[in-house]
Amino acid sequence: MSVLPLLAVLLGLGSAASGMAAVPAPTSPWTVGSDPSEATMRKIRWAIASNDNGDLPFVVVDKRAARVFVLDRHGLVLGAAPALLGLAKGDVSPPGIGDRPLSAIGPADRITPAGRFVAGLGPDLGAKDVLWVDYAAAISLHRVVTSNPREHRLERLATASILDNRISYGCINVPAKFFDDVVRPAFLARGGVVYILPELAAED
C-alpha cells in the first residue's frame, strides 16, 4: 500500500476529500501485531493531520494495551510489538526520579509517564544503545532486560495477557529483534517523537 492511500485511511478521508477512490481498511500493516486501539488510532490520525511529528518518525505507546507502534514520518506503519512497562500505574514521573539509584525507587514510583517526548538514540550505562524518551527522568525505550531470570521478562512479553506486562522501573522494554530491526533504523538518522498514551487521565 502506498503512502497516500494509507494516509487517507488513517485520516478517515473519503474519495471526495482525497481526490481518489475509496481505500480499503489498512489490514496488512497490522499483521505485525494486534490491531491498534481506538486511542492509538486517534493519536496517529492527529499526529499526521497536525504534522505534530514534524516530518520525523514517531512511536505510539499504548500503556493500557501494553503495545508499541512505530511509524515513519508519513504515518506508514513500520512495526508493532508488545511492551513491558512501569510496575505502577500512573501518568507522571515522580519529581527527581532520574537522580535516584534503582535501589531507592519504590514500587509506587515505578511509572512510565504519559506525554509527548522528543526522542533520540544514545548509549545507556553499558555498551548498548537505547531510545532516550525522557533523559531527565531516566526513561528510555530499549531491548528487553533479561539480567534477572526471576522476573521472566521474555515470558511476560510472549504471553497474550497484558496483566503481566507491568514489571519495569518505568522504562519501556520491547523484544530485542523489534528494537534492532524497527526502532533503531527508524530513529537512527534524526531521532523522532514518542507519544505515550495516558492510562489514568483522559487523553488530550
Side-chain angles (χ1 to χ4, degrees), residues 6-158:
L6 181 57
L7 286 177
V9 172
L10 293 178
L11 292 171
L13 300 177
S15 57
S18 63
M20 52 190 157
V23 181
T27 54
S28 60
W30 304 118
T31 58
V32 290
S34 67
D35 290 343
S37 66
E38 180 54 36
T40 295
M41 287 304 301
R42 281 198 305 268
K43 182 59 71 175
I44 292 172
R45 293 188 190 106
W46 174 82
I48 297 169
S50 64
N51 194 33
D52 185 77
N53 59 309
D55 203 35
L56 293 171
F58 63 100
V59 169
V60 178
V61 179
D62 187 340
K63 289 197 287 180
R64 292 175 180 172
R67 296 199 69 79
V68 170
F69 299 87
V70 181
L71 302 98
D72 73 4
R73 63 192 181 95
H74 300 293
L76 269 173
V77 181
L78 300 177
L84 301 181
L85 303 162
L87 177 66
K89 289 189 175 182
D91 295 319
V92 180
S93 292
I97 192 73
D99 297 325
R100 298 190 212 169
L102 292 181
S103 59
I105 302 177
D109 289 340
R110 299 175 188 179
I111 294 170
T112 300
R116 178 191 188 275
F117 304 91
V118 177
L121 292 167
D124 64 2
L125 298 179
K128 294 185 177 181
D129 58 352
V130 301
L131 182 66
W132 283 109
V133 176
D134 185 347
Y135 190 83
I139 299 296
S140 66
L141 188 156
H142 57 71
R143 303 167 186 85
V144 60
V145 174
T146 58
S147 55
N148 185 350
R150 292 178 297 177
E151 292 182 334
H152 301 288
R153 293 198 181 198
L154 287 175
E155 292 86 348
R156 289 170 183 267
L157 278 175

